Amino acid sequence: MDRRQDIQNAVEVLRKGGIILYPTDTVWGIGCDATNAEAVEKVYKMKQRDDSKAMICLVDSDARLQRYVRNVPNVAWDIMELATKPTTVILDNGVNLAPNLLAEDGSIAMRITQEEFSKELCYRFQKPIVSTSVNISGEPPAQNFCDISEEMLAKADYVCFSRRQEKKPHTPSSIIRLTEDGVVSIIRR
């Protein structure tokens, strides 16, 4: 299957509220429509994770990010531009997203992906996509397709074909918390 068809299949599943497993700019991810509360709930159940622990969303561009955060501080753009590895930014006042995706304080973790497959997937879907590591909460994340458990494969509505043969080390993104008043905290290096 070619990448275009793979992305088209994944987008169709996302639009129907389904769950996908897909390669990202970091580890393999569990994805769903970040604006669909029922789909988000399915991901929490799949990971056996408390919904008070917010999840990351991927977007394809600065413009898309700005549609889902009320006010992006200028320092966020500098951090994302200067980052040497995939960097997730936790920002205050997430909007237009599933309420159960936002942290209790209304913040949201967002990352603009630069990786070819996930960037095109986000672009074609035209909304943020949840991107949480493929694993049961507390277990190691699936760095490559071959690391994904049969249990997780069986729970997904669609498993992308792209990059399945890859076997190389991948690590989760850096996570930086930014408040509207410019306070910066490093959550994960």
Side-chain angles (χ1 to χ4, degrees):
M1 172 181 312
D2 70 3
R3 190 176 77 193
R4 203 175 111 252
Q5 185 62 53
D6 198 16
I7 288 172
Q8 185 176 323
N9 293 349
V11 166
E12 286 174 20
V13 169
L14 291 169
R15 286 189 177 135
K16 292 176 184 170
I19 305 301
I20 65 168
L21 302 185
Y22 68 112
T24 75
D25 52 345
T26 60
V27 297
W28 268 70
I30 301 172
C32 74
D33 177 350
T35 67
N36 181 328
E38 288 176 18
V40 170
E41 182 59 31
K42 287 185 212 173
V43 174
Y44 281 120
K45 284 182 178 162
M46 187 173 171
K47 283 189 68 83
Q48 299 172 24
R49 183 176 183 168
D50 181 3
D51 68 5
S52 67
K53 293 183 91 177
M55 295 184 286
I56 295 169
C57 294
L58 287 187
V59 292
D60 64 312
S61 66
D62 297 359
R64 186 115 35 234
L65 175 75
Q66 290 178 301
R67 292 181 197 156
Y68 296 95
V69 176
R70 186 163 286 122
N71 180 27
V72 180
N74 287 335
V75 69
W77 304 118
D78 295 336
I79 288 170
M80 289 184 283
E81 186 178 316
L82 297 171
T84 57
K85 68 179 262 189
T87 300
T88 300
V89 183
I90 301 173
L91 300 163
D92 290 337
N93 298 312
V95 293
N96 305 318
L97 294 162
N100 56 343
L101 189 57
L102 300 175
E104 289 178 16
D105 64 1
S107 64
I108 186 67
M110 302 286 279
R111 184 167 73 248
I112 300 171
T113 181
Q114 301 302 327
E115 185 271 332
E116 208 172 299
F117 182 86
S118 55
K119 188 174 187 82
E120 187 174 344
L121 178 64
C122 290
Y123 174 76
R124 297 278 175 220
F125 186 55
Q126 297 286 299
K127 294 184 203 174
I129 299 173
V130 165
S131 181
T132 184
S133 57
V134 180
N135 61 317
I136 303 293
S137 197
E139 293 181 3
Q143 293 184 35
N144 296 288
F145 174 77
C146 62
D147 301 324
I148 301 173
S149 71
E150 288 298 323
E151 177 185 4
M152 296 305 260
L153 290 169
K155 290 180 178 181
D157 297 305
Y158 183 74
V159 181
C160 292
F161 286 86
S162 297
R163 292 180 45 203
R164 282 192 184 187
Q165 304 308 316
E166 192 173 271
K167 289 186 174 123
K168 62 182 187 178
H170 294 279
T171 56
S173 68
S174 296
I175 300 177
I176 296 175
R177 171 85 166 99
L178 297 174
T179 60
E180 276 188 306
D181 54 3
V183 176
V184 178
S185 307
I186 296 172
I187 308 296
R188 180 171 69 200
R189 289 193 185 273

